Amino acid sequence: MKISGGTQNDKTAKQCPEVKEYEILEHAADLKIRTRGRDLKEAFSNFLKGIFEFCRPEFEDQKPTVREIWLKAENLESLLIDFLSQILYLSDVNDEVYSAIDFEILTPRELKGKIIGRKIARQQAEIKAATWHELEIKKRDDYWEATVLFDI
Amino acid sequence: MLTRQNFKKINDYLWEIPKSFRSDMQVPARIYADEKMLDQISRDKSLEQLVNVAVLPGIQKYALAMPDCHEGYASPIGGVAAIKISEGIISPGMQGYDVNCGMKLLRSSLSAEEIGPYLENLADKIYEKVPSGLGQGQSIKLDVASVDEILERGAQKLVEQGYGTKSDLDNCEAGGRLAWADASVVSKQAKSRGRDQVGTLGSGNHFLEIQKVERVFDAETAKSFGLFEGQIVIMIHTGSRGLGHQVCTDNLREFIPLMQNKYKIKVPDREFACVPFNSPEGQRGLAASAAAANYAWANRQMIAHLIRKAWKEVLTDRISDLEVVYDVAHNIIKKEKYDFEGKEVEIAVHRKGATRAFPPGHFELPEAYRRVGQPVLIPGSMGTASYVLVGAEKGKESFYSVNHGAGRKMSRHAAIGAIRGEEVVKHLKEKGILVKCRSMRGIAEEAPAAYKDVDQIVETVERAGLAKKVARLVPLAVIKGE
């Protein structure tokens, strides 16, 4: 069974009509998210949408919070895990959930940008960590695809 | 892909995948299960993952899977790897992110009949006092120095501050503190996450339950554990929260490149992330994991304190102390000593979803339990029975490890699709079980139908000789984080 998330915006949908922003894939106990995007930025940022759906936050107020992140890693896979680990860390210590990122830099070894979130009153579930198990980032014909298993 | 032909039957409750199955296996893999369970376990990737455990450098005897085992990441959940310290590795991934997730059981002197009129108030009060920590931590935010003290001294620190008694520590694995913990190797991020999470429950399968001892199987041992039929007990299931998650995340992030580039260790899944146990990095990882384990013992100790407060507030005219039966981890790396052909060998037992079950006479047990053996706390799924077992000498073959619960048989997503939380609550209410939980999705995910039958799992453990049944506990009220 696959549960699909939202589709890409109109422009994307025209370019790759079958592509979903993210899917939650079947796993016995944990949370496996596969994202797709026209470019690496979308494939990365769509994880925020999958995490958001899973955690089902209830918000304290409507005011957005903006935080800067800047990460360097030895390769693209490590950069993705570092990015997701940083999101989970910031979410935990600030009681916030992030729904979007405005990238300034995204290369296979560097990520810099602003994440946009909101303060939460509570959420229905939490994610413990982004694992390296069956981690995959691939360039398909005209889109990027990334799969990460989260411990929940 | 494993087929029936790959299994060698050792007895009705034990199966082996021989070392010859895959050329990189260092030892055979063994699964404790009856034939029906083995069929069920074979349906997901559990056994392929168990074969991967058999590859770990320094593994002794067998890679082991308990009857509740199911697919995880790196090791299956319900996996045990005994690594010879002098020539093996440490693998944080073989322990999992929720370091020292475990169980604590409190016993009262009241019966179910006596508690009846107070039950709902008590459940509400406990729910109020023990937050999930998901968006709302504990009101007290610790400074970093206090977090450091908890990391190095675990539950002992809390007891010194008045959040418990000395007997709480006696009746806790390792006395609630691993001495080799070192706060200085724990990252600032991990410590930040730990500042307001002492005394929080978390989500997922974590829970608090007010239970009744429904049946005693072994009267003498039950008496030693202070248990009797009809008695009210309270079970706590949680771990090291965000601090532990961050410690494991940090360890894997450091170990993966070291494993690949410096130590050139080849494993089938990088999530094992291992380095030599006695290497400087391995020792630092061990000290950080131990610090997270200490934090988990402090967390369960604080929750016990909060439950005692709720108990006293609600039962003002019927106060009875809540005493700790035992506290035991099921995700942990522990240094333990085993006798191999007359020689004492130091082993790093990695338990991931497996519970330590020491036999009668084990030197690490507190005096009160040394003659009878360790109380082994096995939670069932929400609304079903839990068990207290006692460790047995035959458990040496599994490095004194047993299952940690019922084990999932349905994914969380399949459960949400097939089960409605409201119906689960209604059904449990009809059975006389109260449920305190905000999230209907959380209830659907953890519904009894999503899990294997705990009675059968425990029966298998007993018939395999790893531990013996002492008491069956049934829930009266379930309190979940969110």
Side-chain angles (χ1 to χ4, degrees):
Chain A
M1 185 184 72
K2 289 179 181 179
I3 296 171
S4 298
T7 54
Q8 300 283 4
N9 59 32
D10 287 343
K11 192 177 168 190
T12 315
K14 276 177 200 165
Q15 285 181 343
C16 26
E18 300 300 320
V19 172
K20 302 284 184 192
E21 289 179 326
Y22 68 90
E23 291 173 297
I24 294 179
L25 306 180
E26 197 57 32
H27 187 272
D30 292 308
L31 173 69
K32 197 171 198 175
I33 299 180
R34 172 175 293 158
T35 65
R36 295 191 179 116
R38 286 170 298 177
D39 53 23
L40 209 47
K41 289 177 181 174
E42 279 188 353
F44 268 53
S45 64
N46 284 339
F47 276 105
L48 300 182
K49 294 176 181 162
I51 291 169
F52 186 94
E53 185 209 283
F54 174 77
C55 293
R56 295 202 184 174
E58 292 171 34
F59 295 102
E60 204 165 67
D61 59 44
Q62 298 299 315
K63 206 174 132 195
T65 58
V66 179
R67 294 185 187 275
E68 284 194 17
I69 55 172
W70 189 4
L71 304 164
K72 290 183 182 180
E74 62 275 28
N75 57 44
L76 184 57
E77 289 186 332
S78 301
L79 190 69
L80 176 58
I81 293 295
D82 286 351
F83 168 62
L84 295 171
S85 300
Q86 183 75 356
I87 293 294
L88 297 178
Y89 161 70
L90 290 171
S91 181
D92 198 18
V93 291
N94 297 314
D95 297 332
E96 291 170 352
V97 169
Y98 308 100
S99 54
I101 176 164
D102 184 10
F103 286 102
E104 194 180 314
I105 301 169
L106 182 58
T107 70
R109 292 184 176 199
E110 188 177 5
L111 181 159
K112 190 175 184 189
K114 291 186 176 72
I115 49 170
I116 295 114
R118 280 159 72 188
K119 200 89 177 162
I120 59 166
R122 59 178 60 84
Q123 57 188 7
Q124 289 196 16
E126 69 180 341
I127 294 175
K128 290 175 184 162
T131 80
W132 300 74
H133 178 70
E134 296 179 349
L135 166 67
E136 234 178 37
I137 312 179
K138 277 184 185 166
K139 173 96 168 67
R140 300 285 185 188
D141 292 341
D142 54 358
Y143 61 93
W144 281 85
E145 185 178 273
T147 309
V148 173
L149 179 73
F150 295 88
D151 185 2
I152 56 174
Chain B
M1 183 71 187
L2 284 146
T3 65
R4 203 48 186 270
Q5 292 155 326
N6 301 123
F7 301 118
K8 181 175 146 196
K9 184 174 180 176
I10 305 296
N11 60 47
D12 286 348
Y13 303 99
L14 184 59
W15 305 79
E16 183 171 298
I17 304 167
K19 200 179 152 191
S20 57
F21 173 71
R22 222 172 69 188
S23 61
D24 55 351
M25 288 171 76
Q26 305 295 306
V27 292
R30 284 191 164 190
I31 308 110
Y32 288 93
D34 66 19
E35 207 158 352
K36 207 172 144 195
M37 280 172 198
L38 187 68
D39 282 342
Q40 192 169 40
I41 292 168
S42 305
R43 284 181 209 149
D44 64 19
K45 292 182 189 164
S46 306
L47 298 179
E48 284 86 347
Q49 293 183 341
L50 184 66
V51 168
N52 291 343
V53 172
V55 172
L56 294 176
I59 189 165
Q60 302 294 300
K61 303 268 191 188
Y62 315 101
L64 294 161
M66 298 297 130
D68 56 336
C69 108
H70 62 79
E71 183 182 346
Y73 47 83
S75 165
I77 308 302
V80 179
I83 307 287
K84 190 173 182 182
I85 285 180
S86 60
E87 55 198 56
I89 49 82
I90 177 170
S91 166
M94 183 66 229
Q95 165 184 237
Y97 291 86
D98 197 353
V99 180
N100 188 4
C101 185
M103 310 301 304
K104 194 180 197 84
L105 186 69
L106 309 175
R107 64 172 184 248
S108 76
S109 59
L110 298 185
S111 69
E113 286 72 30
E114 288 172 298
I115 207 91
Y118 305 93
L119 184 66
E120 179 125 31
N121 279 351
L122 182 60
D124 282 335
K125 190 60 84 178
I126 292 173
Y127 183 66
E128 179 193 310
K129 287 198 184 292
V130 185
S132 68
L134 278 66
Q136 41 177 334
Q138 272 295 0
S139 46
I140 302 164
K141 195 157 185 168
L142 303 171
D143 58 29
V144 171
S146 303
V147 174
D148 281 353
E149 284 201 65
I150 287 171
L151 292 175
E152 296 199 348
R153 296 175 52 224
Q156 289 183 11
K157 169 70 185 165
L158 291 201
V159 167
E160 280 169 25
Q161 290 180 310
Y163 298 112
T165 64
K166 186 185 168 293
S167 76
D168 293 354
L169 301 176
D170 291 341
N171 297 329
C172 183
E173 177 175 349
R177 178 200 178 211
L178 293 176
W180 52 85
D182 180 354
S184 73
V185 297
V186 174
S187 70
K188 280 183 189 165
Q189 286 93 332
K191 290 175 188 176
S192 304
R193 293 177 77 166
R195 288 182 63 194
D196 64 351
Q197 293 185 341
V198 176
T200 62
L201 191 57
S203 69
N205 59 0
H206 294 166
F207 68 81
L208 306 172
E209 271 187 8
I210 303 170
Q211 303 170 331
K212 176 178 88 166
V213 179
E214 182 217 38
R215 188 174 165 196
V216 163
F217 300 94
D218 173 348
E220 195 190 335
T221 308
K223 198 176 168 193
S224 302
F225 293 171
L227 300 175
F228 57 87
E229 280 183 9
Q231 178 186 21
I232 290 294
V233 293
I234 300 182
M235 187 172 259
I236 301 165
H237 178 197
T238 189
S240 50
R241 310 283 295 109
L243 182 141
H245 310 161
Q246 188 70 44
V247 164
C248 189
T249 295
D250 295 342
N251 273 342
L252 263 84
R253 187 66 184 90
E254 185 191 356
F255 282 12
I256 288 172
L258 286 169
M259 171 176 77
Q260 293 168 336
N261 305 325
K262 181 175 177 183
Y263 292 110
K264 317 256 183 239
I265 298 170
K266 287 198 171 113
V267 286
D269 181 346
R270 65 188 142 172
E271 186 70 25
F272 282 113
C274 44
V275 299
F277 193 92
N278 283 330
S279 65
E281 299 93 343
Q283 289 297 293
R284 278 204 305 274
L286 177 71
S289 280
N294 287 349
Y295 186 89
W297 274 311
N299 187 30
R300 288 197 289 275
Q301 182 64 40
M302 181 59 90
I303 289 176
H305 167 76
L306 296 169
I307 290 172
R308 283 168 168 156
K309 272 180 83 172
W311 180 269
K312 282 182 182 165
E313 284 177 33
V314 173
L315 295 156
T316 46
D317 55 341
R318 305 214 54 137
I319 288 182
S320 135
D321 285 338
L322 292 172
E323 293 180 73
V324 176
V325 177
Y326 206 63
D327 181 312
V328 64
H330 51 230
N331 283 358
I332 201 157
I333 302 169
K334 286 288 291 291
K335 292 194 275 189
E336 292 172 10
K337 288 179 178 149
Y338 287 86
D339 185 49
F340 280 28
E341 293 157 3
K343 280 175 79 177
E344 191 180 77
V345 178
E346 205 176 15
I347 299 289
V349 185
H350 291 60
R351 296 188 178 95
K352 188 180 192 184
T355 313
R356 195 195 70 175
F358 277 159
H362 197 284
F363 74 97
E364 278 196 47
L365 291 179
E367 208 178 313
Y369 298 143
R370 199 165 298 156
R371 191 181 59 79
V372 289
Q374 180 205 308
V376 182
L377 311 175
I378 306 296
S381 54
M382 185 175 59
T384 65
S386 296
Y387 281 84
V388 179
L389 313 180
V390 63
E393 190 47 52
K394 193 170 185 288
K396 190 178 175 189
E397 67 182 45
S398 66
F399 293 89
Y400 298 125
S401 308
V402 300
N403 65 314
H404 82 312
R408 291 196 80 90
K409 67 175 182 189
M410 194 187 280
S411 76
R412 291 174 200 273
H413 261 96
I416 295 167
I419 303 163
R420 286 187 64 241
E422 290 82 355
E423 278 173 23
V424 176
V425 173
K426 187 171 162 248
H427 178 66
L428 293 176
K429 201 173 173 186
E430 282 163 7
K431 285 170 69 181
I433 303 167
L434 296 171
V435 179
K436 302 286 171 191
C437 178
R438 291 175 61 89
S439 165
M440 286 300 131
R441 188 186 73 166
I443 288 174
E445 282 182 2
E446 295 301 319
Y451 282 82
K452 298 177 202 173
D453 181 344
V454 71
D455 294 321
Q456 285 176 18
I457 300 282
V458 165
E459 196 64 32
T460 302
V461 166
E462 182 170 75
R463 291 193 179 185
L466 304 181
K468 288 188 292 182
K469 287 191 283 190
V470 176
R472 186 176 191 266
L473 319 173
V474 292
L476 302 178
V478 183
I479 298 135
K480 290 190 63 69
E482 285 294 340

